[in-house]
Amino acid sequence: PRGETAVLAQAFLEQRKGFPEEAVRILVGFLQEVDSSHVGALRQLGKLHIREDQWSKAAGVYHKLIAVDPTSDEWPSQLQLCLNHLPV
């Protein structure tokens, strides 16, 4: 089993190497197979979607983060950023 730190680092490196699709695949796999509520993986996935201008996908991730971690002030503001970029 891959540890969470290794998975997050591997996804980050794939992104840095110019392979955002692979980074998304790694993060989504971790969230599906290990911990669907892992705040660090969700946060990294949300940021990755924003960098790729995938605003709708990013909004979905931040909506989940609000449900998982409702005390954070970061998630509502990130969700609003995403919603501001969606077509009307």
Side-chain angles (χ1 to χ4, degrees):
R2 299 185 299 175
E4 66 185 58
T5 303
V7 170
L8 299 180
Q10 183 181 2
F12 178 77
L13 289 174
E14 291 297 332
Q15 178 187 342
R16 290 290 298 266
K17 291 190 301 187
F19 300 109
E21 303 86 8
E22 181 63 14
V24 168
R25 188 191 67 74
I26 291 167
L27 291 169
V28 168
F30 176 80
L31 289 164
Q32 288 176 341
E33 298 169 16
V34 180
D35 182 357
S36 65
S37 299
H38 189 280
V39 172
L42 288 166
R43 180 179 193 218
Q44 191 170 342
L45 183 59
K47 288 183 173 189
L48 182 57
H49 285 316
I50 286 175
R51 281 192 203 97
E52 295 298 308
D53 292 327
Q54 296 174 337
W55 299 105
S56 180
K57 289 181 179 182
V61 172
Y62 287 111
H63 189 266
K64 172 139 179 130
L65 275 164
I66 289 170
V68 170
D69 183 20
T71 60
S72 174
D73 294 334
E74 182 179 352
W75 316 139
S77 62
Q78 291 297 322
L79 176 59
Q80 188 60 54
L81 172 72
C82 296
L83 296 177
N84 290 345
H85 282 85
L86 292 178
V88 179

